[in-house]
Structures are given as structure tokens and as C-alpha cells.
Amino acid sequence: MGHTPDIAQAVEALRAGKLAAFPTETVYGLGADARSDTAVAAIYAAKGRPQFNPLIMHVASLQEARRYGAFSDTALKLAEAFWPGPLTLVVPKSADCPVSLLATAGLDSIALRVPAHPVGRALLTAFGGPVAAPSANLSGRLSPTHASHVRDQLGDKVAEIVDGGPTEVGLESTIVSCLTDPPSHLRAGGVACEEIEQALGIKLAGGEMEDGKPISPGQLQHHYAPDATLRLNVERAEPGEAFLAFGPDVPDHNGVLKNLSPSGDLQEAAANLFAHLHELDAAADRIAVMPVPETGLGEAINDRLRRAAAPRTLDV
Ligand code: TXA
Ligand code: MG
């Protein structure tokens, strides 16, 4: 076949906070060290996605996955039955989870999977940490099943592309949330829903229709919502408000203040977004947010800020 995947170089790139594309059995992933906000921000910048969707963390083994997520008996059963393989499990984050808040989009849950591709697994084993990776395509383009697809779409944005030949499944992983009882089927993919139900001996929630509408428990399409109320696009915070600033020109503020990026860099702002929001949320009941430009990653930042500012009951 003539593929000589250079795993050592990809590991080095990941350790340096750079992007490395790698094969899984489903599609190629655009990987970054999941523990680094800055590395994860580079994923979003490369993909040109207008939204920060939570990502899947790829790990070498169930044992490693258990460092980042809390596995119920049901979750363990699914992991043991289908890993390595095209099944992603959403579980509560572990108490001391070192994964970037940007990678999980600020949620208390985490999506984990152990891919089955030998080259991908060799990379994960050698790296020895969690790798955040969406499919390695530009936003809105077809999922990459060959290294050449990645090279064509993202070649100038990734440090390394590990070529493991064409991917076998060619379709993304199935996603099951173990946050509900019974677990919920969130996305159809490489493992059939019936196979999962057979392994568990019970029906999954979600994906089913009732009166023409999908049954989906409210917590499924969960977005990070701070307890504090947010006031957006303000130039100056009021007394009692925590202040989320952006850029070099910040008015004086007598209270808690975090700057998304003092130099006005949107990739830095993306890396800091969820960590800063969590910190200000813990410190105040109201957060004032300075305007963030609607260009590049600013679009995704503003999308998240608008969702965080929206009334709680409607989960979009
Ligand atoms: O096969 C795959 O799954 C590929 C390869 C690279 O592993 N990856 C992939 O990633 O398809 P991506 O980013 O395109 O899809 C990730 C999905 C998104 O739909 C996201 O909403 C969901 O996983 N997800 C991640 N964390 C979640 C969470 N905590 N709760 C619910 N959904 C979550
Ligand atoms: Mg995708």
C-alpha cells in the first residue's frame, strides 16, 4: 500500500499544541491536544465553523477514558461491547477532568471514544493524552475518508497529516448519551441503534418519534448556560457587574474583570471564552460583555455569547 504514517512527528506536533490530522475507522479527524484551550481554538479556526460545537475526545483505551469521564454501569457495558469502534459515549465529566472547557463547549458532560483504526490508535497510545477531533473537513464540506481529502481542504492549516489509507466505515461514529436513563441515541453512525439495544437488552431513548415529533429529553441539546445573566455589547460595566472585556481599549472597571484577548486576537479570545465565563459566573450574578467583532472566530464567539445570554427555558 505504500503508506508510511509518521506517528512520531504527529505526536510531536500535538505536544507542541499544533494540529495533526489522523485516520479513524470512520473518517479522518482534525486532532489537537484536548487539554489545551489554545490548541483546541486552532481546530475551530481551521475548520471555519461559525459555531463552537462540543468535540469528541479520542483516547487509546477505556482505562484512559475513565480519567476524563464518569462511567455508569451502562456506559461501561457499552464501552466494553463496542470499543474500540465507531461509538461515541457522552458521560458526565470526571471531577478533575483536565480537558479544555472550549473542547466541551463549557458543558459538564464529555463525548469520548476509542477509535478502531490501528494507525489512529497507535498515535493515541504514543501521545498518551486525550485528542479532541472533529472530522477533518472544512465546515459544510464532505467528511474526509482519504488523507488526500484532508490535504485538499486543510493542507495549509495542519502541521501533520498521518496517512493511514482510506477509512473503512466512511460515516461518523454513532453518538449515545449516557446522561439519561435509558441512554439516548443522539446521532446515527457506524454502529446500528439495534446493535446497541441488543447489547444492553433495552431500548434507547431519542431517535424515536411520537406524534410526528422526535422524543428528545430537554438535556440532550444542552448548551452551556451560566447562572449569571449576561448583558452583551456593552462599552462599560455597571457597579456590581463582572466585566468580560475584549481588546486593548478597556474602560476602568471597579470589580472582577477578565479580558478575552488584550491584543484583540480572536483565536486567543476563543481559547479563553469558556474558562473566563466560568470564572466570572462564579464571581458575580451579572456579567457585562464588551463587543466582539463578528469576523472569523468572532462569529462563533458571538453565537455562544448570545446563547449564554438567552432566557433559560428555550434550549435551541
Ligand atoms: O466518527 C466521528 O465521530 C468523527 C471522528 C473524527 O471521530 N468525529 C466527528 O466529530 O464526527 P464532530 O465534531 O463532527 O461531531 C461531534 C458531535 C457533535 O454533533 C457534538 O454536538 C457531539 O458530538 N457532542 C460532543 N460532545 C457532546 C456532549 N457533551 N453532549 C452531546 N453531544 C456532544
Ligand atoms: Mg463533522
Side-chain angles (χ1 to χ4, degrees), residues 24 26-29 49 53-56 58 88 90 107 109-111 113 133-135 171-173 175 186-187 220:
T24 79
T26 59
V27 299
Y28 276 76
R49 242 186 203 175
N53 294 328
L55 302 174
I56 297 171
H58 298 69
T88 293
V90 175
L107 297 174
S109 57
I110 186 166
R113 93 177 186 93
S135 50
L171 169 81
E172 274 90 348
S173 61
I175 305 181
L186 299 188
R187 179 174 80 179
L220 293 187

Side-chain angles (χ1 to χ4, degrees), residues 38-50:
T38 314
V40 172
I43 291 180
Y44 292 107
K47 281 194 67 114
R49 242 186 203 175

Side-chain angles (χ1 to χ4, degrees), residues 4-313:
T4 48
D6 197 335
I7 287 166
Q9 259 170 270
V11 167
E12 223 171 278
L14 290 174
R15 292 217 170 109
K18 294 183 183 151
L19 302 181
F22 64 98
T24 79
E25 78 282 31
T26 59
V27 299
Y28 276 76
L30 178 62
D33 185 341
R35 296 161 297 196
S36 162
D37 284 325
T38 314
V40 172
I43 291 180
Y44 292 107
K47 281 194 67 114
R49 242 186 203 175
Q51 290 187 351
F52 297 133
N53 294 328
L55 302 174
I56 297 171
M57 304 329 134
H58 298 69
V59 292
S61 66
L62 169 57
Q63 194 191 344
E64 202 197 332
R66 294 184 77 172
R67 288 166 45 189
Y68 314 121
F71 282 68
S72 63
D73 290 345
T74 305
L76 279 180
K77 211 178 208 179
L78 288 175
E80 274 156 10
F82 295 102
W83 285 357
L87 177 67
T88 293
L89 297 175
V90 175
V91 298
K93 276 203 314 190
S94 66
D96 49 357
C97 183
V99 166
S100 143
L101 287 177
L102 180 61
T104 56
L107 297 174
D108 298 328
S109 57
I110 186 166
L112 288 156
R113 93 177 186 93
V114 178
H117 197 291
V119 175
R121 284 194 85 198
L123 171 69
L124 293 170
T125 304
F127 180 61
V131 174
S135 50
N137 54 295
L138 290 171
S139 182
R141 303 271 297 274
L142 283 183
S143 290
T145 53
H146 285 81
S148 64
H149 298 160
V150 184
R151 210 169 289 120
D152 292 346
Q153 293 187 38
L154 294 162
D156 54 338
K157 296 181 178 125
V158 292
E160 294 293 332
I161 299 172
V162 182
D163 190 342
T167 63
E168 225 170 68
V169 179
L171 169 81
E172 274 90 348
S173 61
T174 301
I175 305 181
V176 169
S177 168
C178 298
L179 305 180
T180 59
D181 184 19
S184 311
H185 188 242
L186 299 188
R187 179 174 80 179
V191 181
C193 188
E194 300 78 59
E195 261 185 89
I196 298 166
E197 292 179 335
Q198 235 160 46
L200 288 180
I202 50 169
K203 286 261 177 211
L204 297 177
E208 298 165 64
M209 308 288 276
E210 194 174 75
D211 300 333
K213 287 191 207 117
I215 303 170
S216 72
Q219 64 265 48
L220 293 187
Q221 289 167 322
H222 207 99
H223 293 294
Y224 166 64
D227 293 323
T229 52
L230 263 67
R231 212 158 59 85
L232 303 184
N233 297 316
V234 308
E235 294 292 352
R236 190 178 282 278
E238 289 166 2
E241 284 182 324
F243 197 18
L244 186 61
F246 174 84
D249 302 316
V250 181
D252 287 337
H253 174 61
N254 209 340
V256 192
L257 182 150
K258 297 292 286 183
N259 195 329
L260 288 170
S261 171
S263 67
D265 178 88
L266 286 165
Q267 198 160 325
E268 182 185 23
N272 287 329
L273 177 65
F274 289 99
H276 282 9
L277 274 176
H278 273 77
E279 199 171 315
L280 296 183
D281 192 20
D285 295 331
R286 290 178 300 140
I287 303 173
V289 186
M290 274 181 79
V292 175
E294 190 72 35
T295 53
L297 278 179
E299 207 181 330
I301 294 171
N302 283 314
D303 170 70
R304 279 298 157 170
L305 286 171
R306 279 191 294 269
R307 290 173 194 270
R312 287 303 107 82
T313 41

